[in-house]
Amino acid sequence: ELVPVPPLLQLRDFLLVYNRMTELCFRHCVSNLNYRLLTGREETCLDSCAGKLVHSNHRLMSAYVALMPSIMQRRISDYEASAARVSQNSAQEGLSAATA
């Protein structure tokens, strides 16, 4: 069962991605700060940059969603194995203490 992510964490994650994308595209595309408006070239570059980042983010999220069930299953299996080892070690320690 997947644990829901609180809305504030989702918003924080979205804003972090948005801020990184904005900074990256701005640094890559805007070269002249002497004008109030973007040049046509800067605007085209920003549209292309943002579009590529959004598209790649969608692809990464799709891959993550596809892999998440197997990741969660592996974590559950690891947890169950760890709990079984702890239980077994506790039982062995109990036997050792009882025979001593």
Side-chain angles (χ1 to χ4, degrees), residues 7-100:
L8 283 178
L9 288 179
Q10 288 179 338
L11 178 61
R12 185 199 69 177
D13 290 345
F14 168 77
L15 290 174
L16 285 171
V17 169
Y18 177 80
N19 286 339
R20 285 185 194 131
M21 179 184 74
T22 301
E23 184 176 345
L24 179 72
C25 290
F26 183 84
R27 287 182 181 198
H28 178 71
C29 297
V30 178
S31 58
N32 188 347
L33 299 175
N34 293 330
Y35 303 103
R36 184 175 178 184
L37 300 175
L38 296 170
T39 65
R41 190 172 125 205
E42 290 171 333
E43 196 166 335
T44 300
C45 179
L46 287 168
D47 286 343
S48 175
C49 179
K52 284 180 183 180
L53 289 173
V54 167
H55 179 71
S56 63
N57 187 42
H58 282 246
R59 291 190 64 181
L60 285 171
M61 290 306 296
S62 294
Y64 176 77
V65 167
L67 290 173
M68 193 58 184
S70 63
I71 292 169
M72 290 303 294
Q73 185 59 45
R74 187 175 334 130
R75 284 185 182 167
I76 290 169
S77 297
D78 291 348
Y79 174 76
E80 289 171 345
S82 175
R85 282 193 303 273
V86 168
S87 177
Q88 186 179 29
N89 288 342
S90 295
Q92 287 176 352
E93 286 173 8
L95 287 175
S96 296
T99 57

